[in-house]
């Protein structure tokens, strides 16, 4: 099978149980789904599980997919919903090892000279993104990484555009504070500010 | 890791946007799922298809059993419990009844006479 089939044609074929059609859709969208899941969860194994579950849902619910509409937003929505479930499920488990990890990382904090500056910047930013509430993190990922505008993000998340705007505002504020905090810690006399 | 020297040196909102975008791209840079994922999806779908086929086969078998039961009830039970009472006084109808059904009906009539 080649790429001559459109998404909606493939969906129709999947309804008839065509595994090859599902494979074709998987090839087209696996990176988008995986990247979104990975950016939200920051966990490769979890992102793969979400990717797998997303396409099993495409197969199971193919008859509920409106083939007239583009498939991308539907996939984003399923991915985001699954990411919510996965992250919430993992949170309990993570909280139990959080203390252990903190103890493990303390020596690194105490010896910043051993870390490359880029790695430190990355670490701070990644931690700040991970620390965002899930609702805000999803908005940030869809908007900044996937390039969706606010209206599209609102559609994917099933919330009003104003809610997306507000979540994005608070997310940016949190990230700005994290960056400034890091700058102040490294160079106390220099305090850059983002407007 | 992508070099991003001076990434914190800007002051504008645009710069903050760029920093966030950069951090997210770094987070997923070069990431791609392992080929095992598709193999797992395929295995699950094939398993479901197999279960569905088994279910359909079982359904066909059950449908066959139901048909047999319906045929039996039409030919054996119906004369006793449905048709028979209406024709109770017509001796000629006994001719094509099954033997045991007639016995049951006769027993039924006998019981009514006794009571």
């Amino acid at each position: 099978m080649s790429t001559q089939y459109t998404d909606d044609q493939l969906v129709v074929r999947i309804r008839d149980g065509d595994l090859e059609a599902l494979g074709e859709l998987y090839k087209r969208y696996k990176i988008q789904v995986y990247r979104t899941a990975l950016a939200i969860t920051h966990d490769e194994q979890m992102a793969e599980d979400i990717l797998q579950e997303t396409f099993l849902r495409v197969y199971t619910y193919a008859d509920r997919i409106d083939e007239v509409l583009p498939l991308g937003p539907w996939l984003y929505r399923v991915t985001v919903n699954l990411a919510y479930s996965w992250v919430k499920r993992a949170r309990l488990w993570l909280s139990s090892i959080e203390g252990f990890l903190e103890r493990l990382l303390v020596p690194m904090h105490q010896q910043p000279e051993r870390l490359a500056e880029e790695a430190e910047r990355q670490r701070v930013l990644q931690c700040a993104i991970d620390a965002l509430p899930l609702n805000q993190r999803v908005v940030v990922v869809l908007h900044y990484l996937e390039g969706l505008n606010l209206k599209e993000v609102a559609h994917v998340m099933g919330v009003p555009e104003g809610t997306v705007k507000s979540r994005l505002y608070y997310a940016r504020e949190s990230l700005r504070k994290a960056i400034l905090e890091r700058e102040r810690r490294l160079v106390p006399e220099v305090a850059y500010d983002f407007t | 890791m992508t070099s991003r020297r001076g990434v914190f040196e800007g002051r504008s909102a645009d710069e903050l946007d760029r920093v966030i975008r950069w951090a997210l791209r770094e987070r997923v840079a070069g990431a791609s799922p392992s080929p095992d994922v598709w193999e797992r999806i395929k295995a699950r779908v094939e398993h479901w298809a197999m279960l569905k086929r088994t279910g359909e086969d079982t359904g066909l078998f059950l449908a066959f059993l139901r048909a047999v039961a319906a045929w039996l009830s039409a030919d054996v039970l119906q004369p006793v419990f449905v048709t028979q009472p209406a024709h109770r006084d017509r001796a000629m109808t006994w001719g094509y009844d099954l033997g045991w059904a007639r016995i049951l009906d006769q027993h039924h009539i006998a019981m009514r006479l006794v009571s």
Side-chain angles (χ1 to χ4, degrees):
Chain A
M1 185 162 52
S2 63
T3 50
Q4 76 258 23
Y5 289 103
T6 58
D7 287 356
D8 55 303
Q9 286 171 327
L10 289 173
V11 168
V12 170
R13 289 178 58 183
I14 291 169
R15 284 179 196 154
D16 295 332
D18 189 335
L19 186 58
E20 215 179 327
L22 184 70
E24 183 60 31
L25 265 191
Y26 178 80
K27 268 188 217 158
R28 285 183 197 177
Y29 289 99
K30 67 177 177 181
I31 296 295
Q32 173 195 306
V33 171
Y34 179 71
R35 205 168 70 149
T36 307
L38 181 62
I40 294 170
T41 61
H42 206 183
D43 182 307
E44 286 179 10
Q45 186 55 54
M46 217 185 279
E48 286 195 350
D49 287 345
I50 290 169
L51 173 65
Q52 177 184 325
E53 199 55 38
T54 300
F55 279 89
L56 286 174
R57 289 191 182 198
V58 169
Y59 186 80
T60 314
Y61 299 116
D63 53 340
R64 294 191 203 170
I65 299 173
D66 188 347
E67 69 268 22
V68 177
L69 300 173
L71 188 64
W74 190 90
L75 285 173
Y76 274 129
R77 185 177 284 210
V78 173
T79 307
V80 165
N81 287 340
L82 287 170
Y84 272 111
S85 311
W86 250 257
V87 169
K88 280 174 187 165
R89 201 180 301 162
R91 204 172 276 159
L92 285 173
W93 180 77
L94 283 175
S95 63
S96 63
I97 62 160
E98 211 168 39
F100 168 73
L101 283 177
E102 269 173 14
R103 286 194 295 279
L104 197 69
L105 291 172
V106 162
M108 292 173 76
H109 290 305
Q110 290 167 347
Q111 299 169 339
E113 69 278 4
R114 291 189 178 188
L115 298 169
E117 196 183 352
E118 286 291 323
E120 170 65 4
R121 284 173 179 170
Q122 261 300 332
R123 196 190 62 77
V124 168
L125 265 171
Q126 299 300 344
C127 286
I129 293 169
D130 286 339
L132 290 175
L134 198 50
N135 278 333
Q136 293 176 22
R137 207 187 316 160
V138 169
V139 170
V140 164
V141 167
L142 292 178
H143 181 61
Y144 286 110
L145 183 68
E146 297 303 319
L148 271 61
N149 62 36
L150 299 186
K151 196 177 172 185
E152 289 166 336
V153 175
H155 173 70
V156 166
M157 297 185 76
V159 296
E161 200 176 328
T163 306
V164 173
K165 239 180 230 177
S166 151
R167 286 176 187 171
L168 192 61
Y169 170 80
Y170 287 111
R172 290 177 87 260
E173 279 301 292
S174 301
L175 295 176
R176 189 177 66 84
K177 278 176 193 162
I179 294 165
L180 291 175
E181 178 61 31
R182 183 243 174 212
E183 289 293 336
R184 288 195 184 101
R185 219 173 44 238
L186 284 182
V187 193
E189 66 274 18
V190 179
Y192 294 113
D193 204 357
F194 295 102
T195 52
Chain B
M1 184 179 291
T2 309
S3 175
R4 181 74 186 180
R5 195 166 292 282
V7 72
F8 298 115
E9 290 166 8
R11 293 167 185 250
S12 67
D14 284 351
E15 182 63 14
L16 177 61
D17 288 343
R18 276 198 291 274
V19 169
I20 296 171
R21 203 165 283 124
W22 166 69
L24 286 167
R25 281 179 186 157
E26 283 295 320
R27 181 179 275 232
V28 298
S32 86
S34 76
D36 294 349
V37 179
W38 171 245
E39 291 306 317
R40 291 202 297 266
I41 293 171
K42 215 169 117 184
R44 287 270 292 275
V45 168
E46 281 168 348
H47 180 64
W48 287 344
M50 196 257 299
L51 288 178
K52 198 179 164 198
R53 275 197 304 273
T54 310
E56 281 169 359
D57 290 348
T58 310
L60 279 175
F61 181 64
L62 287 174
F64 169 74
L65 284 183
R66 269 187 227 109
V68 169
W71 178 78
L72 283 174
S73 73
D75 274 17
V76 178
L77 302 177
Q78 202 171 351
V80 177
F81 298 111
V82 182
T83 320
Q84 206 73 348
H87 299 176
R88 191 164 288 138
D89 300 328
R90 296 169 62 184
M92 58 185 291
T93 60
W94 298 118
Y96 51 82
D97 282 338
L98 292 176
W100 68 271
R102 188 165 63 241
I103 291 165
L104 278 177
D105 194 68
Q106 285 169 345
H107 173 74
H108 177 70
I109 294 168
M111 291 302 288
R112 285 187 63 182
L113 288 173
V114 169
S115 66

